[in-house]
């Protein structure tokens, strides 16, 4: 083989090797970028899950506080001036409560049974929202005794928590 052909072959070989190295570097870079994107999306999904749990727990704590305030009114501890306001707040939060569980993100104080018995859980939450709305409408009259009668049906917290919430220590 003469020097000219050897030089062309050698030059072609160097070009192929250079292209192969470039392709390998490009592939390695692409794989690294893919790994970073996947890790970032996994972290974002975890953050979204935690946000869903935090929101759900916030709604439930609001319901607890609103129920306690209504309890103080019907027990006569404080004047009934805000009877309707508190009852309407409970009705509004009751509607939000089911929505807060709809992302179906396990965790927090919710037992896995919430999602494995979803139909029963939804039925209970819908009944809760409906009864709370009825109580809110009755509260507009300012009749504390009528609201007191409806509270037991409207606020079945314990019966649901016994089944679907992790027991507090």
């Amino acid at each position: 083989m003469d020097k000219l052909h050897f030089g062309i072959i050698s030059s072609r070989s160097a070009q192929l090797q250079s292209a192969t190295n470039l392709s390998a570097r490009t592939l390695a870079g692409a794989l690294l970028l893919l790994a970073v994107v996947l890790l970032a999306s996994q972290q974002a999904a975890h953050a979204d899950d935690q946000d869903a749990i935090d929101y759900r727990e916030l709604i439930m704590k609001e319901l607890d506080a609103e129920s306690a305030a209504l309890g103080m009114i019907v027990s006569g501890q404080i004047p009934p001036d805000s009877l309707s306001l508190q009852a309407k707040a409970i009705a509004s939060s009751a509607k939000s409560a089911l929505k807060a569980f709809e992302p179906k993100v396990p965790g927090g104080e919710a037992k896995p049974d919430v999602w494995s018995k979803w139909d029963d859980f939804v039925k209970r939450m819908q009944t809760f929202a409906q009864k709370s709305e009825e109580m809110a409408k009755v509260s507009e009259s300012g009749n504390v005794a009528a609201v007191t009668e409806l509270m037991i049906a409207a606020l079945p917290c314990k019966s649901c928590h016994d089944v679907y919430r992790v027991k507090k220590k």
Side-chain angles (χ1 to χ4, degrees), residues 11 14 28 50 153:
S11 176
Q50 189 57 51

Side-chain angles (χ1 to χ4, degrees), residues 1 7-8 14 16 25 32-33 37 40 54 66 81 86-87 92 100 103 121 137 167:
M1 191 180 278
I8 291 173
L16 286 173
R25 284 192 303 240
L32 180 61
L33 180 61
V37 168
D54 292 346
E66 293 160 355
D81 302 348
Q86 288 302 323
S92 176
F121 180 77
K137 286 180 182 166
K167 290 190 187 325

Side-chain angles (χ1 to χ4, degrees), residues 59-60 62-74 83 86-95 97 124-136 146-162:
I59 294 294
M60 299 310 283
E62 277 182 28
L63 278 165
D64 187 46
E66 293 160 355
S67 299
L70 186 61
M72 292 177 76
I73 293 169
V74 300
L83 175 71
Q86 288 302 323
K88 288 177 181 178
I90 290 170
S92 176
S93 293
K95 289 177 195 171
R124 288 174 185 244
M125 293 298 283
Q126 288 172 337
T127 300
F128 169 46
Q130 176 192 356
K131 297 289 185 184
S132 295
E133 187 63 38
E134 291 170 12
M135 181 181 68
V147 170
T148 303
E149 285 181 35
L150 292 174
M151 276 183 67
I152 294 170
L155 302 174
C157 304
K158 184 177 178 347
S159 67
C160 197
H161 288 175
D162 286 350

